[in-house]
Amino acid sequence: MFNSKITGIGHYVPNHIVTNHDLEKIMDTSDEWIQERTGIRERRFYKPPEKGSTAKMAFNASKMAMKRAGVTADDIDAIVFATLSPDYYFPGSGVLLQHMLEMGTKPAIDIRAQCSGFIYSLSVADQFIKTGMYNKILVIGSETQSVGIDLTTRGRDMSVLFGDGAGAVVLEATEEKGKGILSTHLYSQGEFAEALYKRDPGTGRENINYRGMHEDYECNSPQMDGQLVFKNAITRMPEATMEALAKNNLTTEDIDMFLPHQANLRISHTVQRFLKLPDEKVYNNIQKYGNTTAATLPILLSDLWEQGRIKEGQLFAIAAFGSGFTWASALIRW
Ligand code: UT7
């Protein structure tokens, strides 16, 4: 049986930077509130003349990941694509990326697990490689949040949090024992589906108009019970990380780097405290990108790759929590 390991990482964010001060001009908010409650200073949004989409950002991130892995699209056997903001309601963005990469008839699988989407996708790709079905898989997280959020005072509790971006990794089979993805741990709890959700264009209710959109504001924009999400995030991420460590007979002291999903710097700091990890073993970049949902973890990885902070033999723990609720963790030995 093979293991899978990450051989290349890439990311892409739109050029246009939106600072907290920019948001102050279009809604009743303040740089002070946003920084104090979330740690975010700026995020990226697509803005004309730059033309983009979830699939196009994924294309750019994939090109970088494949270049760094020393492979081309011809070498890739399949795509696993995580997003909550696809280009179309259907089909998913995976096939759009597959077409852009000129991958003939190779399969593209779309994963809908929101902020946990990247770890869910990594897990799916890992199983395909472990069973020998595929040899090299592109795993993507990509999000265009800027078009789906309410950038007025009414939507400020949600809209100041999110940003656009994409990250990608090349996952390859390896015969090296004890290297690569050591294990993945996935969870969901659908009773909390409506604690963080966007209802339209869903099909599960009456009174939709001819455009498939409900008249109510609550159906058309993302809704969140922020404090409930916060409370669950700070317990579920450490829990899933501890489970991953126990499964591999490791402890928090073995971790060289911990990457928490970037939803709120206060959440990251609390999780860090629960895991008793020193600052130098945790990396956050929410300050400059906001919450990019499924793209967050591969963007963090790509950032560290660029800084030369991923070294052979190191142990990385990654964890995510989000809408669903879904949550997940993974251990990676480089
Ligand atoms: O990635 C998916 C997972 N998402 C998360 O993990 C998010 C989890 N939740 C959170 O991070 C936090 O709950 C938030 C950052 C969303 C909100 O922080 P909070 O400390 O829970 O604030 P709050 O919702 O209790 O609101 C406090 C006050 C309210 O005003 P009043 O009622 O006290 O007068 C809000 O209306 O802050 C107000 N407020 C704002 N003020 C300025 C809410 N949003 C804003 C804003 N700017 N953008």
Side-chain angles (χ1 to χ4, degrees):
M1 194 157 108
F2 294 104
N3 243 350
S4 74
K5 72 171 186 182
I6 294 172
T7 55
I9 312 170
H11 76 281
Y12 180 83
V13 290
N15 298 324
H16 182 59
I17 296 172
V18 178
T19 65
N20 294 342
H21 294 297
D22 293 328
L23 295 180
E24 282 173 356
K25 293 176 200 146
I26 55 174
M27 65 176 80
D28 180 13
T29 191
S30 67
D31 175 53
E32 192 190 356
W33 190 96
I34 301 172
Q35 287 217 45
E36 194 182 298
R37 304 277 176 140
T38 72
I40 299 167
R41 288 199 297 268
E42 59 190 46
R43 72 287 290 140
R44 304 294 180 101
F45 283 177
Y46 265 126
K47 187 181 173 214
E50 192 184 10
K51 288 198 183 70
S53 78
T54 296
K56 283 180 193 150
M57 282 193 293
F59 175 77
N60 293 331
S62 301
K63 288 292 233 188
M64 187 188 279
M66 289 191 293
K67 191 167 175 212
R68 288 172 174 172
V71 301
T72 68
D74 289 342
D75 302 315
I76 303 291
D77 301 313
I79 290 171
V80 184
F81 196 123
T83 186
L84 63 64
S85 49
D87 299 54
Y88 307 140
Y89 183 51
F90 72 84
S93 296
V95 294
L96 304 182
L97 174 66
Q98 189 260 16
H99 179 55
M100 286 175 196
L101 290 172
E102 298 175 9
M103 285 174 63
T105 56
K106 289 182 184 160
I109 300 159
D110 288 86
I111 300 282
R112 298 191 55 179
Q114 301 62 251
C115 298
S116 313
F118 179 74
I119 303 183
Y120 268 65
S121 300
L122 200 65
S123 183
V124 168
D126 182 45
Q127 313 314 313
F128 276 131
I129 288 175
K130 283 203 167 90
T131 57
M133 182 156 171
Y134 297 127
N135 195 42
K136 292 185 180 60
I137 301 178
L138 257 179
V139 183
I140 316 288
S142 182
E143 303 285 2
T144 312
Q145 302 279 13
S146 55
V147 297
I149 48 182
D150 175 9
L151 288 162
T152 69
T153 300
R154 188 164 61 165
R156 67 183 182 175
D157 61 324
M158 289 286 284
S159 57
V160 301
L161 304 176
F162 294 98
D164 300 343
V169 304
V170 175
L171 201 65
E172 290 192 37
T174 175
E175 288 183 36
E176 282 179 275
K177 296 269 175 264
K179 280 278 173 75
I181 311 300
L182 300 187
S183 63
T184 52
H185 304 264
L186 314 180
Y187 307 88
S188 67
Q189 200 172 8
E191 69 186 274
F192 294 116
E194 293 176 7
L196 175 48
Y197 82 132
K198 181 168 183 285
R199 191 156 179 160
D200 273 349
T203 56
R205 72 279 179 275
E206 294 174 351
N207 303 326
I208 51 172
N209 67 21
Y210 71 99
R211 296 171 64 204
M213 302 293 271
H214 198 281
E215 306 287 329
D216 291 349
Y217 170 75
E218 281 70 27
C219 294
N220 289 321
S221 63
Q223 304 294 314
M224 176 169 71
D225 180 342
Q227 290 179 8
L228 182 70
V229 175
F230 192 108
K231 279 184 203 139
N232 277 269
I234 59 171
T235 52
R236 294 308 196 180
M237 282 199 279
E239 202 176 272
T241 306
M242 292 308 288
E243 165 143 2
L245 290 166
K247 164 97 183 39
N248 292 280
N249 296 318
L250 296 164
T251 71
T252 48
E253 290 189 359
D254 296 306
I255 295 175
D256 292 300
M257 184 59 76
F258 175 65
L259 305 180
H261 170 63
Q262 302 287 288
N264 184 324
L265 200 56
R266 286 191 294 139
I267 293 179
S268 297
H269 286 158
T270 310
V271 172
Q272 173 181 350
R273 240 185 359 262
F274 284 171
L275 293 173
K276 299 189 176 65
L277 292 169
D279 287 350
E280 63 274 15
K281 288 191 172 185
V282 182
Y283 183 59
N284 296 294
N285 64 9
I286 191 169
Q287 300 89 335
K288 55 180 181 171
Y289 296 131
N291 180 352
T292 55
T293 316
T296 292
L297 284 169
I299 292 176
L300 282 169
L301 285 169
S302 186
D303 247 11
L304 287 176
W305 178 292
E306 283 178 358
Q307 294 168 26
R309 291 173 64 188
I310 300 183
K311 306 239 161 54
E312 182 87 16
Q314 282 184 328
L315 180 74
F316 275 38
I318 61 177
F321 181 90
S323 161
F325 291 151
T326 59
W327 64 100
S329 68
L331 289 185
I332 304 166
R333 175 76 72 187
W334 298 96

